[in-house]
Amino acid sequence: MIHLSLTTKFNEQLFDVNFMNFTDTISSIHHHLEVAEDELTGWLKLPMNMTIDDLNAIQFLSEEIKENADVLVVIGIGGSFLGAKAVREALSPNFTKNQNGIEVLFVGHNLSGSYMKHLIESLHHRDFYVNVISKSGATLETSVAFRILRQYSVERYGQNAKQRVIVTTDPENGLLREIAIAQGFRRLDIPSNIGGRYSLLTPVGLLPISVAGINITEILQGACQAAIDLEVDDIEKNEAYRYALLRYKLYSHGYQVELLASFEPRLSYIHEWWKQLFGESEGKDKKGLFPASVNYSTDLHSLGQFIQEGNPLLFETFLHFNNISEDYYIPFNRVDDDDLNYLSHRSLNEINAISKQGTVLAHAQGGVPIIQIELEKLDAFHIGYLIYFFMKACAISAYLIDVNPFNQPGVEAYKSKISDLLNLESIVNLVAE
Amino acid sequence: MIHLSLTTKFNEQLFDVNFMNFTDTISSIHHHLEVAEDELTGWLKLPMNMTIDDLNAIQFLSEEIKENADVLVVIGIGGSFLGAKAVREALSPNFTKNQNGIEVLFVGHNLSGSYMKHLIESLHHRDFYVNVISKSGATLETSVAFRILRQYSVERYGQNAKQRVIVTTDPENGLLREIAIAQGFRRLDIPSNIGGRYSLLTPVGLLPISVAGINITEILQGACQAAIDLEVDDIEKNEAYRYALLRYKLYSHGYQVELLASFEPRLSYIHEWWKQLFGESEGKDKKGLFPASVNYSTDLHSLGQFIQEGNPLLFETFLHFNNISEDYYIPFNRVDDDDLNYLSHRSLNEINAISKQGTVLAHAQGGVPIIQIELEKLDAFHIGYLIYFFMKACAISAYLIDVNPFNQPGVEAYKSKISDLLNLESIVNLVAE
């Protein structure tokens, strides 16, 4: 399903791609992950354990929203935002996002006053539902946005407002859960044993994706296939383990930045989701590959120079789908004043694939190692497969550098500083009054 | 106009922010830049030298386009794409991009067949103009897109199509210039002594920006003020030189990645433009800071963990505008079930600024040095100022690490590989036929 390869200037001389030395290490991580039930590993078996009932609940709700609203406003940040946005972008047309669904707008991932003002204005003449997503309900950005959208919903729909608010949160704890119960909002559960950046295949991602018109059954089928394929404890056969090992070896050789690259503009938010997944899982104890991304061809004319000849601190990972159903053909031009007739009647996707090959050759020759991840087709099934592939590879990667893939202690630092500053200000204001 | 500061865990103990040792180096670079007329330094005096006539030509054309079209399709890549897109995004509302102008769509910066198909479909029931931007006309992505749009224009407008095509190119050389003359397309000039990534304040950026409804006179007034303020050969007074020196010192201390950060989502393409400017100018001879970017708060819940506690290879540069005219106030909630009443009636922009302060404190405490660039107001004048500030600082930065700020030899590598592959294929095809 996934084809993985490595290209370097010196091919296999620089990097020993014989993984046999790692058999024991990988086996021990493999077994740890399988039995680590106290950790946040609920996502591992999730695609197999999801029932038709679970799926139906989300799909019925999605149908209700599509019938009664023009827009779904999703309130969330981090793992409660990036995944749904990534899948929606990857599987929708480039200029209209709502072919088989309705528009999905995201908010609560920033504190910009102008963003909020423009968002509310864009709702004035349209019907909407709200889906607030937060495990705790205590994140400042999300809870401020939810307060604003709740008030606006009541202004617009009065007593019926509560029918239009769906709360996705922890089934047992948290402020958001309490609010939902007190106000009578409908709830969807985020399983307690799944953390934010591993939650895309739970209702966190599935409801917004479904409302956007994407077939979530196919997403889950792809993830399920990946869960089966990537369960094998054999480095030679497990592509997720091989990806984790390749990047670990490059990291051990001194590479400090991994640059995820693709040639399809619709994949740019898959990059963003991947950056959170790997950055937040690995970036601890002064360790980790810094995750960055580029969209080609665009960035060949931006960061291309740096990659080819600059500070050699990075390697690239190319993400490529071999088949993309929409395409465009280059026309023949009788006068050929632009010297392009040798490309007449050829498809852009085909030339795009050749441009990927050329870029791999040029960058490898410049000394940049390149991992290639290839999938058959850009569709819901393969996106589901890819998501699971990355999550599994990420957990293994973090264990390889001996950090916990499932916590994020550093995120608290900025939260507590902001809270200090805001509370200090309120006290000062009170005294002044 | 610009306020610059540095925050580190140890404040000035780690980095000697006394720049006096650099007086001679900076002076010599300053004088080199002033007299380097053989190099691509035309952008230095451009804002002062632009005449009302030049400006009128662009504005008249812009009015014609706005009257006769619903969409302007801009064809360009790299410096012929990022700048206009960045300024349009920064100065337009978040959900509707064409308040005082018409929609501007960008193409020719990728080879995606689906992107092209969706773009052409989106034009079917609307009137459009085409503005193709390329110094040489020889870039594959741009020239393929231009061939497609030319053919589509003729399908739609027949003999009148040529009235709707504007060519922005070199005044003396290149294939695109020849096509324009032969076909009778109207032309705008890219001054020969200005390279792609320094061309935003020429017709390259100004026509699309003006069509999008943004006041280009104010952009140029800001740039002109910057050109005057940043002409002084005095490290203590020249903020562009101080920014260049700060990042140079951090680079010399082993930092390898500069992360441009801002708290306003509309600035994300300013980051992309900045990445090309610095990455392509500095990334040579195995040198340079790798330019990356984050949008906060979003990325505090993505890369925040890595920045706070991961591999300590990066410093941050915060870009902040003190006043943003659109805002939103947090409502009071009688029951206060979300514990947010202490923020009632306060503005989001104000809380956003506090969240920036908190982030600076948290990251500095985590050991990340932070440069802060502050401007008074997010408007056309200050965006013009910022653009010039970055271009001047970038040229100085490249000279400080002893590379040429104005060439990009590494970009040719991938172009020639693709060309080889495409030509090889045509020969194989010919033989096969």
Side-chain angles (χ1 to χ4, degrees):
Chain A
M1 282 292 164
I2 276 197
H3 179 72
L4 201 73
S5 62
L6 176 70
T7 311
T8 68
K9 189 175 177 178
F10 311 101
N11 283 319
E12 307 191 2
Q13 291 156 26
L14 183 59
F15 304 102
D16 172 19
V17 204
N18 182 336
F19 290 142
M20 286 311 154
N21 298 340
F22 284 88
T23 311
D24 293 347
T25 313
I26 286 286
S27 254
S28 106
I29 293 174
H30 174 90
H31 290 290
H32 173 78
L33 205 53
E34 294 285 318
V35 300
E37 292 198 353
D38 52 324
E39 291 188 79
L40 294 164
T41 54
W43 55 272
L44 261 181
K45 307 283 177 201
L46 180 82
M48 287 100 135
N49 294 344
M50 191 162 270
T51 65
I52 298 293
D53 240 30
D54 297 332
L55 206 56
N56 279 349
I58 295 170
Q59 279 174 336
F60 284 142
L61 199 48
S62 166
E63 289 308 316
E64 176 194 320
I65 296 170
K66 289 198 274 182
E67 261 170 45
N68 296 294
D70 310 302
V71 184
L72 173 66
V73 181
V74 174
I75 305 175
I77 193 167
S80 305
F81 155 64
L82 288 167
K85 173 125 177 164
V87 173
R88 194 270 305 261
E89 303 282 308
L91 297 172
S92 301
N94 293 283
F95 298 92
T96 48
K97 300 290 179 207
N98 44 346
Q99 212 163 31
N100 304 306
I102 60 168
E103 190 169 3
V104 177
L105 293 177
F106 296 91
V107 70
H109 56 286
N110 63 55
L111 289 165
S112 159
S114 78
Y115 187 91
M116 183 59 82
K117 178 169 181 280
H118 298 144
L119 179 106
I120 296 286
E121 283 169 5
S122 83
L123 297 176
H124 281 346
H125 301 289
R126 299 191 291 175
D127 278 313
F128 65 93
Y129 265 57
V130 170
N131 178 206
V132 58
I133 307 172
S134 173
K135 212 157 179 180
S136 67
T139 304
L140 181 68
E141 290 84 353
T142 304
S143 54
V144 162
F146 186 42
R147 172 177 278 219
I148 291 170
L149 265 300
R150 271 168 78 186
Q151 193 221 30
Y152 181 68
S153 299
V154 172
E155 272 173 36
R156 286 284 302 278
Y157 298 109
Q159 292 219 330
N160 297 324
K162 76 173 175 193
Q163 277 304 313
R164 291 178 170 264
V165 176
I166 313 292
V167 172
T168 307
T169 191
D170 190 277
E172 282 156 28
N173 300 296
L175 193 58
L176 188 53
R177 179 179 159 275
E178 286 170 30
I179 295 173
I181 292 170
Q183 300 288 321
F185 299 141
R186 278 174 289 175
R187 282 186 294 142
L188 292 170
D189 291 344
I190 311 176
S192 305
N193 60 351
I194 299 182
R197 60 188 174 276
Y198 294 85
S199 69
L200 176 42
L201 302 172
T202 74
V204 168
L206 295 177
L207 180 64
I209 292 169
S210 175
V211 171
I214 290 156
N215 188 326
I216 56 173
T217 308
E218 287 171 20
I219 298 264
L220 286 166
Q221 283 167 338
C224 206
Q225 185 64 50
I228 294 164
D229 291 352
L230 306 174
E231 209 177 12
V232 54
D233 177 18
D234 179 341
I235 305 176
E236 292 301 317
K237 291 187 186 143
N238 192 317
E239 298 291 351
Y241 293 3
R242 290 183 63 220
Y243 172 52
L245 270 176
L246 279 173
R247 53 197 302 290
Y248 172 72
K249 288 205 164 195
L250 291 161
Y251 178 62
S252 307
H253 273 81
Y255 291 95
Q256 308 214 49
V257 175
E258 178 175 8
L259 204 51
L260 187 65
S262 52
F263 281 74
E264 189 59 36
R266 286 186 282 167
L267 298 175
S268 68
Y269 261 87
I270 295 281
H271 299 177
E272 295 302 315
W273 172 79
W274 170 91
K275 278 152 76 170
Q276 183 199 10
L277 180 65
F278 281 84
E280 220 168 52
S281 299
E282 288 195 316
K284 286 152 206 174
D285 302 341
K286 310 273 175 209
K287 298 181 200 169
L289 281 161
F290 179 74
S293 64
V294 281
N295 303 302
Y296 292 152
S297 307
T298 311
D299 290 330
L300 289 170
H301 289 251
S302 160
L303 293 173
Q305 167 65 37
F306 191 102
I307 296 160
Q308 189 76 41
E309 300 186 342
N311 190 340
L313 77 167
L314 56 86
F315 71 89
E316 291 180 287
T317 296
F318 279 50
L319 175 60
H320 190 72
F321 292 86
N322 291 323
N323 291 294
I324 293 174
S325 50
E326 302 90 354
D327 205 348
Y328 205 92
Y329 290 80
I330 297 175
F332 175 76
N333 175 343
R334 200 176 40 76
V335 292
D336 198 24
D337 52 5
D338 52 7
D339 296 340
L340 289 176
N341 268 354
Y342 75 111
L343 298 178
S344 295
H345 310 307
R346 294 182 65 180
S347 102
L348 278 183
N349 285 346
E350 185 195 337
I351 292 173
N352 203 13
I354 292 170
S355 111
K356 188 208 68 169
Q357 270 179 267
T359 307
V360 168
L361 292 176
H363 288 185
Q365 204 164 74
V368 182
I370 293 156
I371 299 174
Q372 291 198 63
I373 298 173
E374 277 175 78
L375 290 100
E376 206 179 301
K377 190 163 191 247
L378 180 52
D379 61 15
F381 181 89
H382 289 89
I383 286 288
Y385 196 100
L386 180 71
I387 287 162
Y388 190 92
F389 166 82
F390 274 141
M391 294 196 299
K392 187 87 189 257
C394 181
I396 303 288
S397 290
Y399 283 129
L400 277 170
I401 61 168
D402 204 22
V403 299
N404 181 343
F406 306 120
N407 67 0
Q408 54 283 336
V411 177
E412 296 309 313
Y414 102 93
K415 286 189 184 177
S416 87
K417 290 285 178 203
I418 293 171
S419 164
D420 290 352
L421 289 174
L422 286 173
N423 284 313
L424 189 69
E425 282 217 347
S426 343
I427 292 163
V428 172
N429 284 347
L430 272 178
V431 172
E433 279 162 16
Chain B
M1 282 292 164
I2 276 197
H3 179 72
L4 202 74
S5 62
L6 175 70
T7 311
T8 68
K9 189 174 179 180
F10 311 101
N11 283 321
E12 308 194 359
Q13 291 157 23
L14 182 60
F15 305 103
D16 172 17
V17 203
N18 181 337
F19 290 144
M20 284 311 153
N21 299 340
F22 284 89
T23 310
D24 293 347
T25 312
I26 286 286
S27 255
S28 105
I29 292 174
H30 174 91
H31 289 290
H32 173 79
L33 204 54
E34 293 285 318
V35 300
E37 292 200 350
D38 52 324
E39 292 187 78
L40 293 164
T41 54
W43 55 273
L44 262 180
K45 307 284 176 200
L46 181 83
M48 287 99 137
N49 293 344
M50 192 163 269
T51 65
I52 298 293
D53 240 30
D54 298 332
L55 205 56
N56 279 348
I58 295 170
Q59 279 173 335
F60 284 143
L61 199 48
S62 166
E63 289 307 317
E64 177 193 319
I65 296 170
K66 290 197 275 183
E67 261 170 45
N68 297 293
D70 309 303
V71 184
L72 174 65
V73 180
V74 173
I75 306 175
I77 192 166
S80 304
F81 156 65
L82 289 167
K85 173 126 178 164
V87 173
R88 195 269 305 260
E89 303 282 309
L91 297 172
S92 301
N94 292 283
F95 297 93
T96 48
K97 298 291 178 205
N98 43 346
Q99 211 163 34
N100 304 303
I102 60 169
E103 189 169 4
V104 178
L105 293 177
F106 296 91
V107 69
H109 56 285
N110 63 55
L111 289 164
S112 159
S114 78
Y115 186 92
M116 183 60 82
K117 178 169 180 280
H118 298 144
L119 179 107
I120 296 286
E121 284 169 4
S122 83
L123 297 176
H124 281 347
H125 301 289
R126 300 193 290 177
D127 280 312
F128 65 93
Y129 266 58
V130 171
N131 179 204
V132 58
I133 307 172
S134 173
K135 212 156 179 180
S136 67
T139 304
L140 182 68
E141 290 83 353
T142 304
S143 54
V144 162
F146 187 41
R147 172 178 277 220
I148 291 169
L149 265 301
R150 270 169 76 186
Q151 193 220 31
Y152 181 69
S153 300
V154 171
E155 272 174 34
R156 286 283 303 276
Y157 299 109
Q159 292 220 330
N160 296 324
K162 76 174 176 195
Q163 276 304 314
R164 291 178 169 265
V165 175
I166 313 291
V167 172
T168 306
T169 191
D170 190 278
E172 281 157 29
N173 300 296
L175 192 58
L176 187 54
R177 179 178 159 275
E178 285 170 31
I179 295 173
I181 292 171
Q183 299 288 322
F185 299 142
R186 279 175 289 176
R187 282 187 294 143
L188 292 170
D189 293 343
I190 311 175
S192 306
N193 60 351
I194 299 182
R197 61 188 173 276
Y198 294 85
S199 70
L200 176 42
L201 301 172
T202 74
V204 167
L206 295 177
L207 181 64
I209 292 169
S210 175
V211 171
I214 289 155
N215 188 326
I216 56 172
T217 308
E218 287 171 20
I219 298 265
L220 286 166
Q221 283 167 338
C224 206
Q225 185 64 50
I228 294 164
D229 290 353
L230 306 174
E231 209 177 13
V232 54
D233 177 18
D234 179 342
I235 306 176
E236 292 300 318
K237 291 186 186 144
N238 191 318
E239 298 290 352
Y241 293 4
R242 289 184 64 221
Y243 173 52
L245 270 175
L246 279 173
R247 53 197 303 289
Y248 172 72
K249 287 201 165 197
L250 291 161
Y251 178 63
S252 308
H253 273 80
Y255 291 96
Q256 308 216 48
V257 175
E258 178 176 7
L259 205 50
L260 187 65
S262 51
F263 280 74
E264 189 59 37
R266 286 187 282 166
L267 297 176
S268 69
Y269 261 88
I270 295 280
H271 299 177
E272 295 302 315
W273 172 79
W274 170 91
K275 277 153 78 170
Q276 183 199 11
L277 180 65
F278 281 84
E280 220 168 54
S281 298
E282 288 194 317
K284 288 153 206 174
D285 303 340
K286 311 272 175 209
K287 297 181 201 170
L289 281 162
F290 179 73
S293 64
V294 281
N295 304 303
Y296 291 151
S297 306
T298 310
D299 291 330
L300 289 170
H301 289 251
S302 159
L303 293 173
Q305 167 65 37
F306 191 101
I307 296 161
Q308 189 76 40
E309 299 186 342
N311 190 340
L313 77 168
L314 57 85
F315 71 90
E316 291 181 288
T317 296
F318 278 51
L319 175 61
H320 190 73
F321 292 85
N322 291 324
N323 291 293
I324 294 174
S325 48
E326 301 90 353
D327 205 347
Y328 204 90
Y329 289 81
I330 297 175
F332 175 76
N333 175 343
R334 202 175 38 78
V335 292
D336 198 24
D337 51 5
D338 52 6
D339 296 340
L340 289 176
N341 268 354
Y342 75 111
L343 298 178
S344 295
H345 310 307
R346 293 182 65 180
S347 102
L348 279 183
N349 286 345
E350 186 195 335
I351 292 172
N352 204 13
I354 291 170
S355 111
K356 188 208 67 170
Q357 271 179 268
T359 307
V360 168
L361 292 176
H363 289 185
Q365 204 163 73
V368 182
I370 292 157
I371 299 175
Q372 290 199 62
I373 297 173
E374 276 175 79
L375 290 99
E376 207 180 300
K377 190 162 192 246
L378 180 52
D379 61 14
F381 181 89
H382 289 89
I383 286 288
Y385 195 101
L386 180 71
I387 287 162
Y388 190 93
F389 165 84
F390 274 140
M391 294 196 300
K392 188 86 189 257
C394 180
I396 304 288
S397 290
Y399 283 129
L400 277 170
I401 60 168
D402 204 22
V403 299
N404 181 342
F406 306 120
N407 67 0
Q408 53 283 333
V411 177
E412 295 310 312
Y414 103 92
K415 286 189 185 178
S416 87
K417 291 285 179 204
I418 294 172
S419 165
D420 290 353
L421 288 174
L422 286 173
N423 284 313
L424 189 68
E425 282 217 348
S426 342
I427 292 163
V428 173
N429 283 349
L430 272 178
V431 172
E433 279 162 17

